[in-house]
Amino acid sequence: MGQYAAPLRDMQFVLHELLNVENEVKGMPKHADLDADTINQVLEEAGKFCAEVLFPLNQSGDEEGCTYAGDGVVTTPKGFKEAYRQYIDAGWPALGCDPEYGGQGLPAFVNNALYEMLNSSNQAWTMYPGLSHGAYECLHAHGTAEQQKVYLPKLVAGEWTGTMCLTEPHCGTDLGILRTKAESNGDGSYLITGTKIFISSGEHDLAENIVHLVLARLPDAPPGTKGISLFIVPKFVPNEAGEPGERNGIKCGSIEHKMGIHANSTCVMNLDNAKGWLVGEANRGLQAMFVMMNAARLGVGMQSLGLTEVAYQNSLVYAKERLQMRSLTGPKAPEKAADPIIVHPDVRRMLLTQKAYAEGARAFSYWSALQIDKELSAQDEAERKEAADLVALLTPILKAFLSDNAFECTNHAMQVFGGHGFIKEWGMEQYVRDARINMIYEGTNAVQSLDLLGRKVLGDMGAKLRKFGKLVTDFVEAEGVKPEMQEFINPLADIGDKVSKLTMEIGMKAMQNQDEVGAAAVPYLRTVGHLVFSYFWARMARIALDKQASGDPFYKSKLATARFYFAKLLPETAKTIREARAGSKTLMEVDEALF
Amino acid sequence: MGQYAAPLRDMQFVLHELLNVENEVKGMPKHADLDADTINQVLEEAGKFCAEVLFPLNQSGDEEGCTYAGDGVVTTPKGFKEAYRQYIDAGWPALGCDPEYGGQGLPAFVNNALYEMLNSSNQAWTMYPGLSHGAYECLHAHGTAEQQKVYLPKLVAGEWTGTMCLTEPHCGTDLGILRTKAESNGDGSYLITGTKIFISSGEHDLAENIVHLVLARLPDAPPGTKGISLFIVPKFVPNEAGEPGERNGIKCGSIEHKMGIHANSTCVMNLDNAKGWLVGEANRGLQAMFVMMNAARLGVGMQSLGLTEVAYQNSLVYAKERLQMRSLTGPKAPEKAADPIIVHPDVRRMLLTQKAYAEGARAFSYWSALQIDKELSAQDEAERKEAADLVALLTPILKAFLSDNAFECTNHAMQVFGGHGFIKEWGMEQYVRDARINMIYEGTNAVQSLDLLGRKVLGDMGAKLRKFGKLVTDFVEAEGVKPEMQEFINPLADIGDKVSKLTMEIGMKAMQNQDEVGAAAVPYLRTVGHLVFSYFWARMARIALDKQASGDPFYKSKLATARFYFAKLLPETAKTIREARAGSKTLMEVDEALF
């Protein structure tokens, strides 16, 4: 049951009409020849694969889940292995990878678009290649030449998959207190012992080898986060020929039973003198791992966009078909027993919320991926730096704002189905359960908000935020004089001003009391998230205004969704700004015993 | 895993210090002799039963779920039957029932308190006796003397259970289009044929008979809601001795697989010439059923309070034990590897949100139950009418505001657990899944909001709302001059004014366009919900201020929670008022094809 079709028209709108990527890549030697047609063909093919191969496995995968067969063996649900074979045979893992290692060398924004579709079709399945891509990025950035030669071609081909092994039973957010130990063998390798939990894709039957990236502590390491090193710990140690050799001492001890993403194995990984090789410098493992963690955070953004889109598509079909009650303004389908529920204002609110959040997320996340491409590949150093700053600033918003929205949206989609939404058979409650993890893993959304407010904004006295602010004010100045843009520019300028004031205010308070940062962070992130969405919705409205005379209903729809966003979703900031302003007093003055 | 202890101290605070029920019942001849000690003893006993018998079955019940064994037979999870036996042996079903039929005749507010605890312990289990109590109330109000004689003693004793059979595959909210048919046998009985779905507790192994209350249509019935009649359709037709006799033609065809409340059977009920007896007048079945539906809506409020409370208790324990990161203002537990997470402001926000919503819901729902007692039992007719109006006005808020809050709160509780919250073993994700149904069944929360705004508020030009408003303004006038109450009275008075203005505004717009009601209803309900909570929090703050010098930390805690409520939760109204004001334009101007 259910349906998914890749939203190609809107993806193309974002890439070509909003971002003009064909023009942008001209400034990137690596990608300069890429044209719009090629991009569109790739997306179309990917969309077919997702709709035809992965989507049909989503509900059955949830129902069946992964199985721990004992002795370290994990079986994925029926069909997963075959789908993965098709995926690698078609070369999809290589899409955004370095040609030096067999990659196709396409920009990050194309890979991001692929991941939106993969996640719409099957988030649990997509976590297998998704983590592999993160491991690829980490080793590509920090591995030795030898490590890159051995591991990258296998990861790029999808023949081996990857994991990130961070969490331990007593530490998730607080990696500084991790206990897994690494001792030198004297031959360049290390023996690693410890227990890791919550290891997504930690063990499975999709690939012949698994490349674990493991955080551990060397004997002489200083305490805390400055004493953590990163190691490659392959399931099978590659032999001389670079093929899987000796079975390594890292083994899945059990898998978790979870609320959602049942079809992705969440493993307890026991390391018992497992052989590992240092990645990057000793004691600087967290910095190296940050490449993978940032990739994973962007990945959560794409998961969240994917779920929002597919939930929207399904609830829209249902809202047009389900007949229930008459419109308050009189029958709209008098020939039927009742009107389709899409006539009811609140059903429309739930649908348009999903549409506005999906399309806003698409614009924002594809634009962010384009910034990553600029950071990696722009010719001009200043441009690379500028893009890197914007990516650093916006990564926590991509992770947290989009995953909050996806949870809200999948819940709306489920609510549109009424009682049927609660029944597994209809497939809607799975989206809610799957979306729920996105607010937790890869750093909870509260951790993201502290990263945004504490590190990214206050940490450089607002410098990075002002860079984004400049994009906003430039657009406001260019468009603010045009009467047809008033309805979009005024609220955009207004939320921009409010964010500036709020940031200053919190910054001042934080100088007296650091708890003010912790108290304001979550509503602050939601507020800045809306500034970002307001900016993209205003830019999209500009294009839609220009083209509405074309007669293409797409632009009318875009314009209507923009208007809905400003009228009905942006007002959330009236709440979040007040919450942020309310400060830490009522939170912190309560003695622990009084809870 | 997990824990629950009945929050007796706060229950007693609400009943005795806030509501002064011992004094209130003096005006009700039926209950005039009831004293506080008796109430407290009942609550204490009930709390023990809930914590010791029902709570241990909650997680196992979720995991095992109900089983459809074929041929209409449904088995409940292990231990459910024995717990039910203990429940009826102890006489709990009789607590709030009429002594004429074996009841103990205690007021509704005592029964409500019982249901809070039952639901904290095990919502899925509680739905079996919960629906029976609804059937009892419906037959007590509308059954013939003969029907009452046969059915009520069995329901009161809990030997038989009840259901409400409304929904059909093509109609949930829209009962007007239901198709189940009833034809007269000419002997006072009817033959009923049709299919009902989503019948909670529709079949099970807890009791020897099940009393289905079924909506169906007589052959000559007018179309729509004015052609629906209500019938008793027992699973076993009572024989002359009043004991279960002939098996009736109503049979469970299958049970649903759901997101949550796994341990309650959600049945497809097939009626094939099932024998039924008319309840109340022909074609006025919906009115008779409303007694049960209103009871069920209040029941959903108690489910939601119950889940909020138990989720809070568990997340609080975890937040005090789990060590992760240091406080932003420096180590608070320097002797430990990290600080307990309760030192972090956002963890406190999540905990205090649950505390404030649980305690606010307790005050509001117990007060509402007291109004029901007044409606049923006050000596003075004007008092009965006044109470009835308040109950009618506030029922949709009890259902929707409390269930929205419970979903938010159980999600906060789960989030406090971080990654562990997503793992079934820890028990927190079950609360989220169970809480989710409360926003859907017994009329979705959007339907509740239309009931509130369209029927209860605009339907009588605000008369009932003004009755509640008078309680608020009386309190504001009495307390507004006292300096120590400014911090509570000012925001209360402010939200009161805003609700008045918003109501007038929507009323004016609705006269032009009924869709304005549908567009504003959901945020309007949230806004009025906060007016209600502000009122109760201000009243509770008044008592806490008076008693804080006593040295009992309970009052300090209450005061701190009140301050948190006004600082951090009431600001939601800044959003909801804007949303409500934004009207229907951006929702309705979008052509269906443009979605």
Side-chain angles (χ1 to χ4, degrees):
Chain A
M1 200 161 283
Q3 49 224 301
Y4 173 67
L8 294 171
R9 177 67 182 94
D10 197 56
M11 296 166 86
Q12 289 163 4
F13 168 80
V14 170
L15 292 172
H16 307 310
E17 298 173 70
L18 177 68
L19 304 179
N20 200 355
V21 292
E22 202 178 48
N23 195 50
E24 292 278 0
V25 294
K26 292 204 168 67
M28 307 176 198
K30 273 201 265 181
H31 305 304
D33 296 336
L34 187 65
D35 62 25
D37 280 352
T38 308
I39 295 170
N40 293 346
Q41 275 170 27
V42 168
L43 297 183
E44 204 174 314
E45 277 308 304
K48 262 188 223 164
F49 175 80
C50 291
E52 291 169 12
V53 178
L54 292 184
F55 182 71
L57 298 173
N58 187 49
Q59 217 176 333
S60 58
D62 177 69
E63 207 170 311
E64 188 183 341
C66 288
T67 312
Y68 182 69
D71 196 28
V73 176
V74 172
T75 314
T76 58
K78 199 168 160 236
F80 269 46
K81 202 171 168 170
E82 293 72 19
Y84 188 73
R85 191 74 242 171
Q86 281 184 261
Y87 182 75
I88 64 174
D89 285 350
W92 292 115
L95 198 68
C97 297
D98 189 343
E100 199 181 328
Y101 304 101
Q104 298 177 31
L106 286 170
F109 61 78
V110 181
N111 204 48
N112 251 37
L114 167 66
Y115 269 84
E116 180 203 320
M117 296 183 278
L118 293 172
N119 282 306
S120 279
S121 310
N122 200 323
Q123 174 169 331
W125 184 93
T126 302
M127 290 172 70
Y128 297 103
L131 282 154
S132 306
H133 192 75
Y136 156 83
E137 288 193 8
C138 179
L139 291 177
H140 192 262
H142 293 285
T144 63
E146 176 63 21
Q147 288 168 348
Q148 292 180 337
K149 202 178 127 218
V150 173
Y151 291 98
L152 292 186
K154 295 292 193 183
L155 287 168
V156 170
E159 285 178 32
W160 298 359
T161 65
T163 76
M164 47 198 296
C165 297
L166 286 66
T167 303
E168 299 181 5
H170 69 293
C171 69
T173 299
D174 197 356
L175 293 170
I177 56 177
L178 68 79
R179 292 179 193 146
T180 296
K181 281 179 193 162
E183 285 186 279
S184 172
N185 272 328
D187 63 352
S189 73
Y190 293 80
L191 287 181
I192 302 173
T193 298
T195 300
K196 296 287 180 178
I197 64 166
F198 298 164
I199 308 309
S200 298
S201 315
E203 182 56 67
H204 56 75
D205 53 5
L206 304 184
E208 61 179 18
N209 202 4
I210 302 175
V211 184
H212 301 283
L213 294 180
V214 178
L215 292 181
R217 199 177 278 288
L218 291 164
D220 55 350
T225 54
K226 287 173 181 164
I228 298 175
S229 303
L230 178 62
F231 300 88
I232 306 183
V233 182
K235 176 179 173 186
F236 293 99
V237 179
N239 61 21
E240 292 290 307
E243 295 304 317
E246 180 197 354
R247 180 69 167 95
N248 203 355
I250 181 168
K251 211 166 181 179
C252 174
S254 61
I255 60 174
E256 306 287 353
H257 300 98
K258 311 183 297 291
M259 183 186 200
I261 52 167
H262 292 166
N264 190 270
S265 57
T266 305
C267 302
V268 173
M269 296 305 296
N270 297 315
L271 292 94
D272 183 9
N273 283 322
K275 250 191 169 175
W277 287 265
L278 190 65
V279 179
E281 288 175 50
N283 297 333
R284 294 187 51 81
L286 218 49
Q287 286 78 351
M289 191 55 121
F290 256 110
V291 173
M292 189 161 183
M293 281 161 71
N294 274 325
R297 286 168 183 183
L298 297 171
V300 175
M302 301 322 293
Q303 292 174 333
S304 302
L305 166 55
L307 291 178
T308 305
E309 172 67 32
V310 69
Y312 172 59
Q313 289 190 18
N314 282 278
S315 58
L316 176 58
V317 169
Y318 190 81
K320 287 179 176 177
E321 284 174 359
R322 173 76 171 174
L323 307 177
Q324 208 78 178
M325 308 301 282
R326 292 295 181 190
S327 162
L328 290 172
T329 56
K332 296 291 174 285
E335 74 289 1
K336 293 178 179 159
D339 288 336
I341 60 173
I342 197 171
V343 306
H344 304 307
D346 197 65
V347 170
R348 291 178 157 239
R349 175 186 68 90
M350 294 192 281
L351 293 172
L352 287 168
T353 299
Q354 297 176 70
K355 187 174 193 288
Y357 274 147
E359 294 177 10
R362 187 169 295 121
F364 172 37
S365 62
Y366 289 17
W367 176 89
S368 298
L370 177 62
Q371 303 311 308
I372 293 175
D373 287 315
K374 289 187 184 180
E375 176 184 357
L376 296 172
S377 314
Q379 240 167 337
D380 177 46
E381 196 191 321
E383 203 183 339
R384 290 201 298 275
K385 172 76 171 68
E386 173 86 7
D389 279 351
L390 287 169
V391 171
L393 173 74
L394 297 172
T395 296
I397 300 176
L398 266 168
K399 195 276 181 183
F401 193 69
L402 266 54
S403 61
D404 282 349
N405 295 347
F407 190 62
E408 181 184 334
C409 287
T410 52
N411 269 294
H412 284 320
M414 181 179 158
Q415 193 79 11
V416 168
F417 278 69
H420 301 279
F422 200 66
I423 308 297
K424 285 185 177 290
E425 181 192 357
W426 289 82
M428 301 310 291
E429 57 87 48
Q430 183 190 345
Y431 294 129
V432 175
R433 289 185 288 103
D434 286 354
R436 186 64 182 85
I437 189 59
N438 296 352
M439 300 157 80
I440 301 174
Y441 63 11
E442 312 311 341
T444 67
N445 285 2
V447 168
Q448 302 300 323
S449 70
L450 285 171
D451 180 44
L452 174 70
L453 178 56
R455 193 175 305 152
K456 305 293 172 57
V457 172
L458 301 179
D460 69 0
M461 306 287 281
K464 280 194 275 292
L465 181 65
R466 279 191 298 276
K467 289 189 180 176
F468 186 78
K470 177 132 190 349
L471 299 178
V472 174
T473 47
D474 286 354
F475 186 70
V476 166
E477 276 175 32
E479 298 292 333
V481 290
K482 300 178 187 163
E484 78 281 10
M485 282 295 286
Q486 298 296 309
E487 59 176 319
F488 308 112
I489 291 296
N490 292 344
L492 171 62
D494 178 59
I495 186 66
D497 290 346
K498 283 175 175 159
V499 166
S500 300
K501 277 182 202 148
L502 182 64
T503 307
M504 295 253 285
E505 211 178 286
I506 300 170
M508 303 286 276
K509 289 205 278 185
M511 285 193 278
Q512 308 296 321
N513 178 3
Q514 275 292 307
D515 274 337
E516 291 293 334
V517 176
V522 167
Y524 181 81
L525 186 145
R526 292 268 340 143
T527 311
V528 183
H530 276 295
L531 169 61
V532 172
F533 268 45
S534 295
Y535 170 66
F536 284 106
W537 269 114
R539 282 185 57 186
M540 292 194 281
R542 170 73 273 171
I543 300 168
L545 282 168
D546 289 342
K547 298 190 179 175
Q548 64 174 338
S550 72
D552 183 345
F554 178 86
Y555 300 107
K556 268 196 185 165
S557 167
K558 189 63 79 182
L559 210 47
T561 312
R563 287 184 175 128
F564 169 83
Y565 172 80
F566 284 103
K568 296 285 190 177
L569 299 181
L570 179 58
E572 185 191 345
T573 53
K575 162 184 182 263
T576 55
I577 291 172
R578 275 167 181 74
E579 285 171 349
R581 280 229 168 103
S584 70
K585 191 161 176 286
T586 58
L587 299 171
M588 305 314 292
E589 73 180 3
V590 198
D591 192 83
E592 191 185 306
L594 297 182
F595 273 79
Chain B
M1 198 160 283
Q3 50 224 299
Y4 173 67
L8 294 172
R9 177 66 181 93
D10 198 55
M11 296 167 85
Q12 288 163 5
F13 168 79
V14 170
L15 291 172
H16 307 310
E17 297 173 70
L18 177 68
L19 304 180
N20 201 353
V21 293
E22 202 179 50
N23 195 48
E24 292 278 1
V25 294
K26 292 205 167 67
M28 307 174 198
K30 272 202 264 181
H31 306 303
D33 295 336
L34 188 64
D35 62 25
D37 281 351
T38 308
I39 295 171
N40 293 346
Q41 276 171 26
V42 167
L43 297 184
E44 204 174 314
E45 277 308 305
K48 263 190 223 167
F49 174 80
C50 291
E52 292 169 11
V53 178
L54 292 185
F55 182 72
L57 298 174
N58 187 49
Q59 216 176 333
S60 58
D62 177 68
E63 207 170 310
E64 188 183 341
C66 288
T67 312
Y68 182 70
D71 196 28
V73 176
V74 172
T75 316
T76 57
K78 200 167 161 237
F80 269 47
K81 202 172 167 168
E82 294 72 18
Y84 187 74
R85 190 74 242 170
Q86 280 183 262
Y87 182 76
I88 64 174
D89 284 351
W92 291 116
L95 198 68
C97 297
D98 188 343
E100 198 181 330
Y101 304 102
Q104 297 177 33
L106 285 171
F109 62 77
V110 181
N111 204 48
N112 250 36
L114 166 67
Y115 268 83
E116 179 201 323
M117 296 183 277
L118 294 172
N119 282 305
S120 278
S121 310
N122 200 323
Q123 174 170 329
W125 184 93
T126 302
M127 289 172 69
Y128 297 102
L131 281 154
S132 306
H133 192 75
Y136 157 84
E137 288 194 8
C138 179
L139 291 178
H140 192 262
H142 292 286
T144 63
E146 176 62 20
Q147 288 167 348
Q148 292 179 338
K149 202 179 129 218
V150 173
Y151 290 99
L152 292 185
K154 295 293 191 181
L155 287 168
V156 169
E159 285 178 33
W160 297 0
T161 65
T163 77
M164 49 198 292
C165 297
L166 286 66
T167 303
E168 300 182 5
H170 70 292
C171 70
T173 299
D174 197 357
L175 293 169
I177 55 178
L178 69 78
R179 292 180 194 147
T180 297
K181 283 179 193 163
E183 287 185 279
S184 172
N185 271 327
D187 64 352
S189 74
Y190 293 79
L191 287 181
I192 301 174
T193 298
T195 300
K196 295 288 179 178
I197 65 167
F198 298 165
I199 308 310
S200 298
S201 314
E203 182 56 69
H204 55 76
D205 54 3
L206 303 183
E208 62 180 17
N209 202 4
I210 302 175
V211 184
H212 302 282
L213 294 180
V214 179
L215 291 182
R217 198 175 278 290
L218 290 166
D220 55 349
T225 54
K226 287 174 182 163
I228 298 174
S229 303
L230 178 63
F231 299 88
I232 305 183
V233 182
K235 177 179 170 186
F236 293 99
V237 179
N239 60 22
E240 293 289 307
E243 294 304 316
E246 179 198 355
R247 180 69 167 95
N248 204 352
I250 181 168
K251 211 165 181 182
C252 174
S254 62
I255 61 173
E256 307 288 352
H257 300 99
K258 310 183 297 292
M259 184 185 200
I261 51 167
H262 292 166
N264 190 270
S265 57
T266 305
C267 302
V268 173
M269 297 304 297
N270 298 314
L271 293 94
D272 183 10
N273 283 323
K275 251 191 168 174
W277 288 265
L278 190 66
V279 180
E281 287 175 50
N283 297 333
R284 292 186 54 81
L286 218 49
Q287 285 80 346
M289 191 56 121
F290 256 111
V291 172
M292 189 161 184
M293 282 161 73
N294 274 327
R297 286 169 183 184
L298 297 171
V300 175
M302 300 323 290
Q303 292 174 333
S304 301
L305 166 56
L307 290 177
T308 305
E309 173 67 32
V310 70
Y312 172 59
Q313 289 190 19
N314 282 277
S315 59
L316 176 58
V317 170
Y318 190 81
K320 287 180 176 176
E321 284 174 359
R322 173 77 171 173
L323 307 177
Q324 208 76 177
M325 307 301 282
R326 292 294 180 191
S327 162
L328 290 171
T329 56
K332 297 290 173 284
E335 75 289 1
K336 292 179 178 158
D339 288 336
I341 60 173
I342 197 170
V343 305
H344 305 306
D346 196 65
V347 171
R348 289 177 160 238
R349 175 187 66 90
M350 293 191 283
L351 293 172
L352 287 168
T353 299
Q354 297 174 69
K355 187 174 193 289
Y357 274 148
E359 294 177 10
R362 188 169 294 120
F364 172 35
S365 62
Y366 290 17
W367 176 87
S368 299
L370 177 62
Q371 302 313 308
I372 292 174
D373 287 315
K374 289 188 185 178
E375 176 184 354
L376 295 172
S377 314
Q379 238 166 338
D380 177 46
E381 195 191 323
E383 203 182 339
R384 288 201 299 274
K385 172 76 171 68
E386 174 86 7
D389 279 351
L390 288 169
V391 170
L393 173 74
L394 297 171
T395 296
I397 299 176
L398 266 169
K399 195 277 181 183
F401 193 69
L402 267 53
S403 61
D404 282 348
N405 295 348
F407 190 62
E408 181 185 335
C409 287
T410 52
N411 269 294
H412 284 321
M414 180 178 159
Q415 193 79 11
V416 168
F417 278 70
H420 300 278
F422 199 65
I423 308 297
K424 285 186 177 288
E425 180 191 357
W426 290 82
M428 300 311 289
E429 56 87 49
Q430 183 190 344
Y431 293 130
V432 175
R433 289 185 288 103
D434 287 353
R436 186 65 182 85
I437 191 59
N438 296 353
M439 300 156 80
I440 300 175
Y441 63 12
E442 312 313 341
T444 68
N445 285 2
V447 168
Q448 303 300 323
S449 70
L450 284 171
D451 180 43
L452 174 69
L453 178 57
R455 193 174 308 152
K456 305 293 172 58
V457 173
L458 301 180
D460 69 1
M461 306 288 281
K464 280 194 276 292
L465 181 64
R466 279 191 297 276
K467 288 189 181 177
F468 186 79
K470 176 130 191 348
L471 298 179
V472 174
T473 48
D474 285 354
F475 187 70
V476 166
E477 276 176 33
E479 298 291 333
V481 291
K482 301 177 187 163
E484 78 279 10
M485 280 296 285
Q486 297 295 310
E487 59 175 318
F488 308 113
I489 290 296
N490 291 342
L492 170 63
D494 179 58
I495 187 65
D497 289 345
K498 283 175 174 158
V499 165
S500 300
K501 278 182 199 144
L502 182 63
T503 308
M504 293 251 288
E505 213 179 285
I506 300 170
M508 301 286 276
K509 289 206 279 186
M511 284 193 278
Q512 309 295 321
N513 178 3
Q514 274 293 307
D515 274 336
E516 291 293 334
V517 176
V522 167
Y524 181 81
L525 185 145
R526 293 276 327 150
T527 311
V528 182
H530 276 296
L531 169 61
V532 172
F533 269 43
S534 295
Y535 169 68
F536 285 105
W537 270 114
R539 282 184 57 185
M540 292 194 282
R542 171 72 273 169
I543 299 168
L545 282 168
D546 289 341
K547 298 190 179 176
Q548 63 176 337
S550 71
D552 183 344
F554 178 85
Y555 300 108
K556 269 196 182 163
S557 168
K558 189 62 80 183
L559 209 47
T561 312
R563 289 184 173 127
F564 169 82
Y565 172 80
F566 284 102
K568 296 284 191 179
L569 299 181
L570 179 57
E572 186 192 344
T573 52
K575 164 183 182 263
T576 54
I577 291 171
R578 275 167 182 74
E579 286 171 349
R581 281 230 167 102
S584 71
K585 191 161 176 286
T586 60
L587 299 172
M588 305 313 292
E589 73 182 0
V590 199
D591 191 84
E592 192 184 307
L594 298 182
F595 273 80

